[in-house]
Every structure is written in structure tokens, then in C-alpha cells.
Amino acid sequence: MSNAEAAAQGWRRLLAILVGVAVVLGLVVGIPFVFLVNSGYLPGFSMTTAWEAPNEGESAGQGDRVWLADDTVVRSRFDSVAGFDVRSGAKRWEYVVPRRAEICAVSDGSGDPVALIAYGEAGRETGTGAGTGEGRPGKGCATVVAIDLTKGRELWRTVRTPTTGKAGPGAGIVVAGGGLGVLHTAAASAPST
């Protein structure tokens, strides 16, 4: 065998060894990487599900909101507001609206641990959708309560006059922030002269 053939055979052998080492390294590093990424154990991939609140049926479309107040996650639905422990998911408290009433509007997150919840009786004589104020007087989104989101305690309650326009479910009926709450009510009629 000549020197050129021996050199070529040496390079082929070296190339085969390098390819074999690369394949082994790829398997040794790649397989654990795939399992670690999918399970969330690598830096940057560390978000895993700590807990889930139970599915309580279909959403009604109004009154659905989520807030974070200290170490409590608060979820509102059409019929109740519930607070859950951030770490364990255990239910801490629940505020349930009176029978035959539905939550039709809730305030957005304001940074304060207080939310405004507007609710009223469902099934008005005319109109569709809770919160439109259509139908019998005093129905619709007529009651507003302020709830402490950390303890689930009702802070105050008031009655508002539902609007007669077609604002749609929860459209700006209650707003909270900076220690203030704003309620949208029907305009008072001007006195006749």
C-alpha cells in the first residue's frame, strides 16, 4: 500500500470515528433535552401547571373576569365570584349572587384589592342579554356590590337605575380604580317647566 493510500485510509477511519462520536453525543444530549423541555425543567422552560380550577360548565359571556389580589386569584362567573389560593389552588371564599340573579358586569383590574360586581334578575319581559336594562323597572343590572378580593367580604351595596339603551352586556356599567368606583345609571329626566 502506498503512502497516499495509507493516508486516505487514515482520514476515512478518523472521519468514521468523528461521525460515530457525533451520533453518540447527539443521542446522549438530545434525548434528555427533549424530555426536559417537554416537562419544563430547563431554564426558560420552567412554567408548569401548579393547579387548575374545576370547569364549572359553559360561560354565560358576561361577568367573566380574573383578578390577582395579593396571594389570591379571583375568578368571576355569571353566578358567583370565588377566590383561590395562588400556591395550592384551594378555594378560600365564594360570593354567590342571590337566586334568579346573574352577574352582568364586573370592573376591570384596578390594582386595588376591590372589585365592583353588578347583578340583576335574569329573564326580563323584553330585550335580550343581561345588563341592557331593558324590560321592567328595577330589573337588569340594578344592584352593585363592592367585594374585597382578598377576603371575599362585601364592603358595600347600592342600587342603580338600569339604563334604557342597548349598551350590551356589562358595557362600562361599573369601573373601579384608585379607591373610587363609578356606576353608570340611567339619566334623570329633566323637570318640566
Side-chain angles (χ1 to χ4, degrees):
M1 179 185 304
S2 72
N3 283 344
E5 289 177 354
Q9 188 176 10
W11 282 109
R12 280 188 286 234
R13 192 175 292 148
L14 180 62
L15 184 60
I17 291 171
L18 288 176
V19 168
V21 168
V23 168
V24 169
L25 280 175
L27 291 174
V28 167
V29 172
I31 291 174
F33 181 78
V34 168
F35 287 108
L36 291 174
V37 167
N38 288 338
S39 60
Y41 289 108
L42 289 178
F45 295 97
S46 60
M47 291 183 65
T48 59
T49 302
W51 57 270
E52 293 180 10
N55 183 0
E56 297 173 346
E58 293 296 317
S59 170
Q62 73 268 1
D64 295 343
R65 182 86 60 217
V66 177
W67 301 272
L68 178 63
D70 295 331
D71 60 347
T72 305
V73 174
V74 181
R75 176 181 69 177
S76 69
R77 296 173 20 92
F78 73 96
D79 60 350
S80 66
V81 180
F84 300 90
D85 182 84
V86 167
R87 290 170 202 82
S88 68
K91 187 181 280 188
R92 289 187 168 169
W93 55 265
E94 184 172 29
Y95 179 87
V96 180
V97 297
R99 284 185 41 182
R100 298 182 53 161
E102 290 183 358
I103 294 175
C104 47
V106 295
S107 61
D108 289 332
S110 65
D112 295 335
V114 175
L116 298 181
I117 310 293
Y119 64 85
E121 194 172 313
R124 287 162 298 286
E125 288 177 357
T126 62
T128 59
T132 61
E134 297 178 11
R136 297 172 288 193
K139 303 297 180 190
C141 252
T143 305
V144 177
V145 295
I147 296 178
D148 178 346
L149 296 176
T150 57
K151 297 180 178 85
R153 179 172 61 97
E154 184 178 307
L155 301 173
W156 53 261
R157 169 190 308 253
T158 189
V159 177
R160 62 178 282 278
T161 304
T163 59
T164 57
K166 295 185 179 187
I173 293 175
V174 291
V175 179
L180 298 174
V182 178
L183 313 177
H184 181 261
T185 61
S189 59
S192 56
T193 57

